C-alpha cells in the first residue's frame, strides 16, 4: 500500500502521464507484488531475468547489486522488454494445473518403480525380470508380496501359491506359477543379505506407487472433462494423439486464438534452428535455440514421438527420413512442425 501511494504521489509531482510497473520474474515470488500493482490499476508487466542481466553487464560489468539490477530493469523496460502476460481463463487454467500435476506424479511413480525393482531384486534376485510388465501383473506381485525369498517360494509349492491367489481373487495361469517355481529352483542357493528388510521396503514403496497410479487415473478423467470443453479435443481424431498428449498440449498452449499462425506456436516453443551470421559467415542451420517455453516444447515433442510410432502417415515420413540418413531428432522436430 505504501509503494502504491508513493507511486501516485510521484505521478502527481512530476506530471507522469505514461507509466508502467515492471516486476522481475523470480520463480513465483514476483506474483504477489504483480497482482497488488495490477489491482491498484497500474499497467503491470513482467521482466525476464535474462533481460536484466543483458542490460546490467554493459553498464556495470562484474558488479551485481540490487541497485544495478534496478537500473538495468529500468533500461530493459524502456527498451520494450517488459512483457504483458495473458491470464489463462477456465477451463485452460484448470487443465494446465492438472496436466502439470499429472506429469509430476508420473515422474515420481517412475522413480518409485525403479526403487521397487532394485529392492525386489535384492530380496528375490531376478524375479522382476521374469515379467515384462511387472506392475500390471497382479499374480506375480501377489506372490512376491507373500514370499520374501526364493526358498520360501519352494517351501510353499505350486498348490499353496495357487490357493493364495484364489483366496485373493486374482486370476492366474498355471504357466505363471511354473515360471516362478523354475526361477526359484535356480536361485535358491544364492546368498541373500537382509532379504526380509528389502522385502518390507519394496512393499511399502509399492503401496505408494499404486496410490500414485490411482491418482493419475483420476486426473486423466478430469483432464478429459476439461479437454472436451476446448477445440483441442479435435486432435484426438489423429491416430497417435490421446487424452493425455492433447491435454498437455492444450494446457500449455492456452486459447488457440492467441496465435496468429503455426510459426507463432513453434516460435514460442523454440522449434527452429539457431543462426550465427557475421559478415560473410552465415550458419543458418545450427542446433535448435536453447531459450524457449520448454513445457510447450516437451508437449509437442511427445506428440511427435507418438505420431512417428502410431500414425501411418507420420510413421512413413519418419521411415523415409531414416532411409535418407536424417538425424532422428531432426525428423521429430519436422513432425512437430
Amino acid at each position: 500500500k505504501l509503494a502504491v501511494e508513493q507511486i501516485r504521489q510521484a505521478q502527481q509531482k512530476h506530471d507522469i502521464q505514461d507509466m508502467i510497473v515492471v516486476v522481475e520474474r523470480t520463480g513465483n515470488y514476483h506474483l504477489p507484488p504483480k497482482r497488488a500493482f495490477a489491482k491498484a490499476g497500474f499497467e503491470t508487466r513482467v521482466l525476464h531475468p535474462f533481460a536484466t542481466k543483458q542490460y546490467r553487464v554493459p553498464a556495470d560489468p562484474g558488479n551485481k547489486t540490487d541497485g544495478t539490477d534496478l537500473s538495468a530493469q529500468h533500461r530493459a523496460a524502456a527498451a520494450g522488454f517488459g512483457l504483458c502476460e495473458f491470464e489463462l481463463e477456465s477451463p485452460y487454467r484448470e487443465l494446465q494445473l492438472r496436466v502439470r500435476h499429472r506429469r509430476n506424479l508420473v515422474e515420481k511413480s517412475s522413480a518409485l518403480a525403479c526403487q521397487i525393482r532394485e529392492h525386489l531384486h535384492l530380496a528375490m534376485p531376478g524375479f522382476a525380470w521374469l515379467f515384462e510388465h511387472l506392475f500390471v501383473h497382479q499374480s506375480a506381485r501377489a506372490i512376491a508380496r507373500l514370499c520374501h525369498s526364493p526358498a520360501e517360494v519352494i517351501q510353499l509349492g505350486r498348490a499353496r501359491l495357487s490357493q493364495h491367489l484364489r483366496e485373493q481373487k486374482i486370476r492366474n495361469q498355471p504357466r505363471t506359477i511354473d515360471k516362478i517355481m523354475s526361477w526359484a529352483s535356480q536361485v535358491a542357493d544364492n546368498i541373500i543379505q537382509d532379504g526380509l528388510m528389502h522385502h518390507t521396503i519394496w512393499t511399502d514403496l509399492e503401496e505408494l506407487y499404486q496410490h500414485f497410479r490411482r491418482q493419475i487415473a483420476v486426473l486423466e478423467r478430469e483432464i478429459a472433462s476439461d479437454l472436451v470443453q476446448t477445440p483441442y479435443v479435435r486432435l484426438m481424431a489423429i491416430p497417435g494423439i490421446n487424452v493425455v498428449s492433447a491435454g498437455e498440449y492444450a494446457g500449455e498452449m492456452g486459447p488457440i486464438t492467441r496465435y496468429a499462425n503455426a510459426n507463432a506456436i513453434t516460435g514460442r516453443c523454440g522449434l527452429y534452428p539457431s543462426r550465427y551470421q557475421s559478415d560473410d559467415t552465415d550458419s543458418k542451420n545450427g542446433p535448435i535455440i536453447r531459450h524457449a517455453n520448454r513445457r510447450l516444447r516437451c508437449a509437442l515433442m511427445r506428440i511427435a514421438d507418438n505420431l512417428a510410432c502410431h500414425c501411418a502417415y507420420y510413421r512413413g515420413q519418419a521411415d523415409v527420413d531414416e532411409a535418407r540418413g536424417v538425424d532422428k531428432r531432426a525428423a521429430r522436430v519436422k513432425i512437430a512442425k
Side-chain angles (χ1 to χ4, degrees):
K1 290 180 181 178
L2 178 61
V4 170
E5 184 60 30
Q6 288 178 337
I7 292 173
R8 296 197 189 282
Q9 291 175 3
Q11 278 185 296
Q12 294 178 359
K13 180 179 178 180
H14 301 286
D15 193 25
I16 298 173
Q17 301 296 324
D18 189 12
M19 190 197 75
I20 60 173
V21 175
V22 176
V23 184
E24 186 182 49
R25 181 192 300 278
T26 50
N28 292 322
Y29 298 105
H30 69 288
L31 292 177
K34 175 179 178 290
R35 290 166 181 160
F37 286 118
K39 185 178 179 181
F42 297 116
E43 183 180 343
T44 308
R45 302 187 182 185
V46 176
L47 184 69
H48 199 283
F50 288 158
T52 303
K53 179 181 178 181
Q54 293 299 322
Y55 277 87
R56 183 193 73 243
V57 171
D60 298 283
N63 183 28
K64 182 191 181 304
T65 65
D66 287 342
T68 56
D69 272 351
L70 185 60
S71 299
Q73 289 164 21
H74 182 273
R75 291 191 291 271
F81 286 91
L83 305 177
C84 295
E85 290 190 342
F86 288 104
E87 293 290 338
L88 286 178
E89 61 271 7
S90 182
Y92 291 99
R93 188 170 186 82
E94 294 84 355
L95 186 59
Q96 184 184 87
L97 292 174
R98 285 194 177 104
V99 296
R100 290 182 179 182
H101 181 40
R102 180 198 170 276
R103 177 60 53 187
N104 184 38
L105 291 183
V106 167
E107 291 171 356
K108 284 182 168 58
S109 64
S110 297
L112 275 176
C114 294
Q115 295 175 21
I116 290 168
R117 284 181 174 274
E118 180 181 353
H119 287 286
L120 178 58
H121 179 72
L122 292 172
M124 303 175 70
F127 183 88
W129 305 110
L130 294 176
F131 306 95
E132 184 177 1
H133 303 290
L134 176 66
F135 294 99
V136 297
H137 205 300
Q138 292 187 353
S139 56
R141 287 188 289 110
I143 292 174
R145 277 181 166 275
L146 178 65
C147 309
H148 65 269
S149 68
E152 189 172 356
V153 173
I154 295 175
Q155 182 181 356
L156 289 174
R158 289 182 175 82
R160 293 181 65 181
L161 291 177
S162 299
Q163 181 182 356
H164 173 73
L165 293 176
R166 286 195 298 272
E167 291 173 354
Q168 297 293 319
K169 298 181 179 180
I170 298 174
R171 297 178 60 185
N172 66 93
Q173 296 180 353
R175 62 183 180 183
T176 299
I177 298 179
D178 292 340
K179 182 190 293 187
I180 294 174
M181 294 300 300
S182 176
W183 159 82
S185 63
Q186 294 176 24
V187 299
D189 296 332
N190 287 15
I191 299 175
I192 299 174
Q193 191 173 14
D194 301 322
L196 184 58
M197 180 58 68
H198 288 297
H199 180 271
T200 302
I201 292 172
W202 85 256
T203 51
D204 286 345
L205 293 176
E206 205 254 346
E207 289 180 5
L208 184 57
Y209 173 84
Q210 294 300 335
H211 171 71
F212 279 170
R213 300 309 301 178
R214 288 191 294 271
Q215 289 301 113
I216 290 169
V218 171
L219 282 169
E220 288 176 353
R221 290 193 291 271
E222 294 174 348
I223 289 170
S225 177
D226 291 333
L227 183 64
V228 296
Q229 302 177 52
T230 72
Y232 294 93
V233 70
R234 298 176 183 175
L235 291 174
M236 293 181 61
I238 304 172
I241 300 181
N242 62 6
V243 169
V244 172
S245 54
E248 285 189 331
Y249 183 57
E252 299 304 335
M253 278 275 291
I256 192 69
T257 53
R258 293 181 180 175
Y259 300 87
N261 49 48
N263 283 336
I265 300 171
T266 51
R268 184 184 177 210
C269 65
L271 280 182
Y272 60 90
S274 57
R275 181 179 181 183
Y276 178 85
Q277 185 272 326
S278 178
D279 196 34
D280 292 336
T281 302
D282 191 358
S283 300
K284 297 181 179 179
N285 295 316
I288 60 174
I289 64 169
R290 295 177 57 190
H291 305 304
N293 186 315
R294 294 300 182 93
R295 291 182 185 272
L296 180 56
R297 178 188 288 183
C298 286
L300 265 174
M301 294 305 290
R302 289 191 192 102
I303 289 177
D305 278 332
N306 292 336
L307 291 176
C309 293
H310 303 292
C311 180
Y313 175 77
Y314 288 106
R315 186 168 60 243
Q317 282 195 348
D319 291 341
V320 170
D321 286 337
E322 184 178 1
R324 291 169 51 203
V326 177
D327 188 289
K328 185 177 180 180
R329 295 169 297 179
R332 292 294 187 270
V333 171
K334 179 181 175 182
I335 292 174
K337 284 283 285 185

